[in-house]
């Protein structure tokens, strides 16, 4: 049938080319339908109070009026110490996450761990670490260790394990087999194969992942104080609860500055060293 | 086999150490270790405190079990509101991010357009959604609307940045070919740019849906609607068994979202 269609010139000209198979098209239409249905259903049942929307412009003006002038005196009093604490939480949390994620990443890489059961366990650890938000981790650790920077550090670390471990496992799986086989042929023990065969190959991506996660962790550790896990979020929470909007403005400005600074540091290190 | 080796071979010359010590790296490791010890001492991270914490943790877990299953109504209302916030915020956020991302693409736009667009994207990206939600709660009051607006801002920051990068990576040959036919700017976008970036764009959007779903369960902590408020209240009332139920429900919702977005990505590959 199709062979005929191609060979007889009359029908070949009318042949219509389509980019996708019918199944692909059906799946796409199913997606469009699902997306529209989900949006319509959400818009219909979401609970929005229109009266609140009406005075929103007045509220925004009021917000900025209360924020100005910015209370600069709050910085040396409270915000500076909290800022330093935030940076320590993010950095120590990242280091802890790297230490925890390395064995899990090794366990999750298919070319290093030949046992499927162990890989499944590693995957489970990585997925559960990522599906719990850092604020929830912080709530849990505040309940266990009490409020303070320790809970924040552990929350950052446990949240980052999934991200770092997943990317590390992917980097390990992309390593070239040549050096590994050469080392195996000399009878090198497992630890030497990992240290001298895999480590030099994954080292650039390892530090790149660490920097990337540190940048994210600076942002995340800034909010942990809202649930009592230390850092600059504590200063923000205090100012918010007391409705000192000029102090809130200063805290937000500080967070903005440190986030931008972290991004610049990461970009510079990445272009110079890695 | 070993007989074939030459019997009277000259003594081997002193061989180079194949793995010489890398002193800068060692110093770096030592510095890292020193920092870790210093920072840990700042946070009073001691062994006794850790053991005490383990004790607390055991009691905490004991109070969580078994999960409390009585408040289905509250749980369901919170979860569905979180889901609605995520969907609406993703749709509006993606729709807004598209033109902004286009304006920020340096290969299609002049410099005086890309710089303001990039500044806006950087501003949207630099604050955590929960902080943005605080400001919107003040502006539009408690409830889902504040959460939606906070997540729209987050979506713009993420999608517009990646979209601009995707456009900057396209092949300009097709753009030139379409331009050579005399097509206007809109036609260049539709016929030359869109086919090259659509698959990646769908990928970013589904990723953002995942991310918004995660964050929509959190904006409730500051009054932005969704399950977060229920979770935080349960924590403050020490209803740890209900906390566990909520956490399991949130994780299930996020997992379903991940499966769904994986399906969407495969469909549009």
């Amino acid at each position: 049938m199709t062979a005929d269609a191609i060979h007889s010139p009359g029908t070949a000209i009318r042949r219509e080319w389509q980019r996708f198979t019918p199944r692909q098209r059906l799946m796409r239409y199913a997606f469009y339908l699902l997306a529209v249905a989900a949006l319509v259903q959400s818009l219909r049942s979401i609970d929005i109070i229109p009266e609140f929307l009406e005075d929103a412009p007045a509220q925004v003006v009021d917000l900025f009026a209360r924020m100005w002038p910015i209370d600069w005196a709050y910085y040396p009093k409270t915000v500076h110490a909290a800022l330093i604490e935030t940076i320590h939480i993010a950095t120590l949390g990242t280091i802890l996450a790297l230490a925890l994620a390395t064995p899990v990443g090794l366990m999750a890489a298919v070319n290093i761990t030949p046992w499927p059961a162990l890989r499944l366990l590693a995957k489970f650890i990585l997925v559960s670490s990522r599906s719990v938000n850092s604020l929830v981790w912080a709530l849990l650790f505040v309940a266990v260790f009490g409020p303070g920077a320790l809970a924040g550090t552990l929350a950052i670390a446990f949240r980052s394990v999934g991200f770092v471990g997943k990317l590390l496992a992917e980097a390990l799986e992309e390593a070239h087999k040549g050096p590994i086989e050469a080392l195996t042929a000399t009878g090198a023990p497992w630890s030497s194969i990992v240290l001298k065969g895999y480590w030099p190959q994954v080292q650039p991506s390892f530090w790149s992942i660490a920097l990337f996660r540190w940048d994210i962790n600076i942002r995340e550790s800034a909010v942990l104080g809202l649930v009592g896990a230390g850092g600059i979020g504590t200063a923000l929470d205090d100012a918010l609860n007391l409705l000192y909007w000029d102090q809130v403005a200063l805290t937000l400005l500080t967070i903005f500055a440190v986030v931008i600074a972290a991004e610049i540091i990461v970009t510079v290190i990445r272009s110079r060293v890695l | 086999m070993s007989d074939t080796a030459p019997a009277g071979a000259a003594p081997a010359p002193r061989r180079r150490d194949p793995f010489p010590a890398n002193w800068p790296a060692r110093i770096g490791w030592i510095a890292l270790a020193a920092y870790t010890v210093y920072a840990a001492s700042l946070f009073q991270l001691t062994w006794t405190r850790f053991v005490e914490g383990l004790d607390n943790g055991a009691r905490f877990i004991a109070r969580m079990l078994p999960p409390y299953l009585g408040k289905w109504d509250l749980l369901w209302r919170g979860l569905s509101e979180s889901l609605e916030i995520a969907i609406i915020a993703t749709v509006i956020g993606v729709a807004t991010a598209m033109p902004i991302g286009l304006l920020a693409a340096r290969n299609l736009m002049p410099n005086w357009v890309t710089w303001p667009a990039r500044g806006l994207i950087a501003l949207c990206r630099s604050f955590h959604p929960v902080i943005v939600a605080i400001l919107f709660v003040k502006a539009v009051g408690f409830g889902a609307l504040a959460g939606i607006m906070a997540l729209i801002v987050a979506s713009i920051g993420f999608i517009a940045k990646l979209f601009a990068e995707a456009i900057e990576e396209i092949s300009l040959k097709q753009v030139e070919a379409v331009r050579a036919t005399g097509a206007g700017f809109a036609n260049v976008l539709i016929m030359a740019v869109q086919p090259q970036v659509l698959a990646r764009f769908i990928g970013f959007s589904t990723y953002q849906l995942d991310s918004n779903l995660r964050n929509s369960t959190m904006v409730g902590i500051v009054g932005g609607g969704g399950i977060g408020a229920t979770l935080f209240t349960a924590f403050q009332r020490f209803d740890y068994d209900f906390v566990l139920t909520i956490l399991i429900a949130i994780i299930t919702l996020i997992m379903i979202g991940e499966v769904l977005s994986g399906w969407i990505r495969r469909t549009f590959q």
Side-chain angles (χ1 to χ4, degrees), chain B residues 61-150:
Chain B
I61 291 172
R63 283 188 62 180
M64 274 182 144
L65 292 170
Y68 178 72
L69 299 173
K71 298 175 186 161
W72 280 119
D73 185 43
L74 202 61
L75 185 70
W76 175 246
R77 227 181 312 138
L79 271 185
S80 56
E81 192 172 50
S82 276
L83 190 63
E84 287 158 10
I85 290 173
I87 290 172
I88 296 175
T90 308
V91 171
I92 300 179
V94 164
T96 326
M98 251 195 295
I100 297 176
L102 187 66
L103 289 178
R106 279 176 291 206
N107 55 348
L108 294 179
M109 291 288 162
N111 261 340
W112 59 270
V113 179
T114 58
W115 279 112
R118 288 182 168 258
L120 179 66
I121 293 170
L123 189 67
C124 288
R125 265 165 55 79
S126 54
F127 287 113
H128 194 279
V130 172
I131 292 183
V132 182
I134 293 173
L135 296 180
F136 278 117
V137 166
K138 162 71 177 145
V140 298
F142 286 94
L145 186 62
I148 291 175
M149 292 177 110

Side-chain angles (χ1 to χ4, degrees), chain A residues 27 31 45 52-53 56 59 62-63 88 91 127 130 133 136 144-145 150 153 219 223 240 252 256, chain B residues 35 42-43 45 49 53 56 84 125-128 131 134 138-140 145 214 218 247 255 263 267-268:
Chain A
M27 294 289 265
F31 164 71
S45 63
F52 278 3
L53 207 52
Q59 289 286 345
D62 180 52
L63 176 69
H88 280 314
T91 314
V127 169
R130 274 182 299 140
N133 198 294
V136 177
V144 172
F145 289 103
L150 179 61
T153 310
R219 267 162 235 247
V223 293
L240 276 171
L252 290 181
F256 183 70
Chain B
Y35 169 79
L42 277 188
F43 295 164
L45 185 64
R49 188 155 178 215
N56 270 341
E84 287 158 10
R125 265 165 55 79
S126 54
F127 287 113
H128 194 279
I131 292 183
I134 293 173
K138 162 71 177 145
V140 298
L145 186 62
R214 280 157 211 257
M218 286 303 110
L247 285 183
M255 296 267 177
W263 169 74
T267 307
F268 281 88

